[in-house]
Amino acid sequence: MRFRKSVQICKGVKLNLSKSGASLTLGPGKGVSMNVGTKGAYFNWSIPGTGVYDRVRVDTLLKDKLGGLFGAKAEEEPQEEKKSSKSTAKSTGKSTAKSSGKSTSKTSAKGASGKTAKAAAGVSEEELERLESEAALIAIHQLAPDVTAKASGVMDAGTAEQAIEEWLSEAEAPIAICVQTEAVPEKKLVMVDLDLPEIEDMPQDKLTQLADGTLKIKKKSQKESREDYKTCVFGLGEYVAGNVFGLVPAAERIAVSAYTQRRSEKTGDAEDVFIYSVVFERSAFKKGYQKKEPAEFCDGMKSRYYVLASGVMKQIAPFEAEEL
């Protein structure tokens, strides 16, 4: 179920194969490298032996800079396409998930004067739509479905995995969902490996009300960004588990092991790193469970994760089916 392989193509070039897809690592591997994959292009650098390192996404940076240099901007998608744009998702095969970019609840954009944020602070409608879409991503747990309290029927592995794949091809969510699943009928269990968004790609802005009642877009602090990331990634696991319970009525437990890509301090290569593993129990999905903070909800179940006081989520060893 969990697959990793690195193939040396030639000096300074490696092909990395994993469940999240293929990627190329370019560079000597001595503190400087470039990783290019399905999630974008990242420049990695470090000072060996010091623990000092950084990772910067360069494909979007170059697009913005070059667009401004030549006075060109990316052509906007038609409004209808914005409402239902497609993004790649994976289950045991390949499928696509629709990204609505919309939240079920609207964010209020009025100041003390009763004017809209656009009038009060020069915030454009496009910026407000972007912030609303980002808020939906962070609060994705609120979009999780209601779940029946008791399991029913007999689980068939092939049917269960096919149902999940079909859901991924049709589901609307504010983010591309990428999972690999394995049904374990004898344990009434579904194992899910969940590919998380990168923390570098998380929303960096927030809407702030000033003392005079006007609204302004400000950058989030590092602490705020890490808190939002924790809410998002645990909420994404909750959202996936809730949907899988609905798709597989016989399942009593859904083990979600979530991973992200991080740069190895030894090699400079991007690697899949698990940062939490939670065994969701159907019985815990009681009415109104979506109102709880995701991390608090996950705390009530068998779980593995380690969050530092700084908000950084450390690597863990995920649950295996044999343990459950």
Side-chain angles (χ1 to χ4, degrees):
M1 183 177 177
R2 297 184 172 115
F3 171 73
R4 309 281 192 289
K5 190 173 183 180
S6 182
V7 180
Q8 187 86 32
I9 297 177
C10 61
K11 187 175 181 180
V13 180
K14 286 183 182 179
L15 175 63
N16 310 301
L17 303 173
S18 74
K19 59 182 173 293
S20 58
S23 67
L24 281 175
T25 298
L26 312 173
K30 295 181 179 180
V32 179
S33 67
M34 177 79 76
N35 186 262
V36 182
T38 56
K39 288 195 170 186
Y42 292 85
F43 175 73
N44 312 297
W45 67 268
S46 66
I47 303 175
T50 66
V52 177
Y53 65 92
D54 198 9
R55 185 170 187 243
V56 180
R57 185 168 183 176
V58 295
D59 55 326
T60 52
L61 181 64
L62 288 174
K63 181 180 178 181
D64 292 341
K65 294 296 183 183
L66 292 176
L69 178 64
F70 294 104
K73 291 185 178 179
E75 188 174 335
E76 291 191 4
E77 294 181 273
Q79 193 64 26
E80 289 302 314
E81 291 184 14
K82 279 186 178 181
K83 292 181 180 178
S84 182
S85 59
K86 292 184 177 180
S87 53
T88 302
K90 294 180 184 176
S91 183
T92 47
K94 291 185 178 178
S95 55
T96 56
K98 294 181 181 178
S99 174
S100 65
K102 299 288 183 181
S103 170
T104 52
S105 60
K106 298 284 184 179
T107 302
S108 174
K110 292 189 176 183
S113 64
K115 297 180 180 180
T116 63
K118 180 180 179 181
V123 180
S124 69
E125 291 182 5
E126 290 77 12
E127 288 175 313
L128 288 175
E129 286 183 5
R130 173 177 64 84
L131 291 170
E132 184 181 88
S133 177
E134 292 174 352
L137 167 60
I138 295 169
I140 191 171
H141 62 284
Q142 295 177 4
L143 304 180
D146 291 334
V147 175
T148 55
K150 293 183 179 180
S152 62
V154 178
M155 184 189 297
D156 175 77
T159 302
E161 291 167 7
Q162 183 179 354
I164 296 168
E165 185 174 345
E166 289 176 356
W167 165 63
L168 287 172
S169 69
E170 300 174 357
E172 291 191 355
I175 188 175
I177 301 170
C178 179
V179 303
Q180 292 79 43
T181 61
E182 180 185 4
V184 188
E186 64 273 19
K187 296 188 176 186
K188 294 188 176 182
L189 167 72
V190 178
M191 303 289 291
V192 176
D193 276 6
L194 172 62
D195 191 356
L196 297 171
E198 305 302 308
I199 192 168
E200 294 92 345
D201 299 332
M202 287 296 294
Q204 301 299 314
D205 299 329
K206 63 180 179 179
L207 199 61
T208 303
Q209 188 172 35
L210 303 179
D212 61 1
T214 59
L215 298 174
K216 185 177 181 180
I217 295 177
K218 288 188 174 182
K219 289 290 182 185
K220 294 179 183 178
S221 67
Q222 190 177 63
K223 182 179 180 180
E224 289 174 321
S225 293
R226 286 174 176 169
E227 280 297 316
D228 283 347
Y229 185 68
K230 184 174 79 168
T231 299
C232 173
V233 298
F234 277 112
L236 188 56
E238 180 181 330
Y239 174 83
V240 169
N243 277 282
V244 173
F245 275 127
L247 295 163
V248 189
E252 294 181 351
R253 297 176 297 166
I254 310 292
V256 178
S257 298
Y259 64 95
T260 185
Q261 285 71 49
R262 290 184 180 172
R263 185 191 63 79
S264 167
E265 293 184 26
K266 294 182 179 179
T267 66
D269 297 342
E271 299 177 342
D272 290 342
V273 173
F274 285 90
I275 58 174
Y276 76 75
S277 194
V278 178
V279 183
F280 291 96
E281 301 279 351
R282 180 182 286 272
S283 59
F285 284 69
K286 298 176 181 178
K287 187 175 181 180
Y289 75 93
Q290 303 94 332
K291 296 179 181 178
K292 291 184 178 180
E293 281 296 313
E296 179 186 345
F297 181 68
C298 293
D299 275 342
M301 280 159 278
K302 187 173 184 178
S303 60
R304 288 176 182 169
Y305 69 90
Y306 182 40
V307 184
L308 300 179
S310 63
V312 173
M313 300 184 72
K314 301 294 286 184
Q315 182 176 4
I316 57 92
F319 289 114
E320 300 290 347
E322 294 76 15
E323 302 176 67
L324 303 176

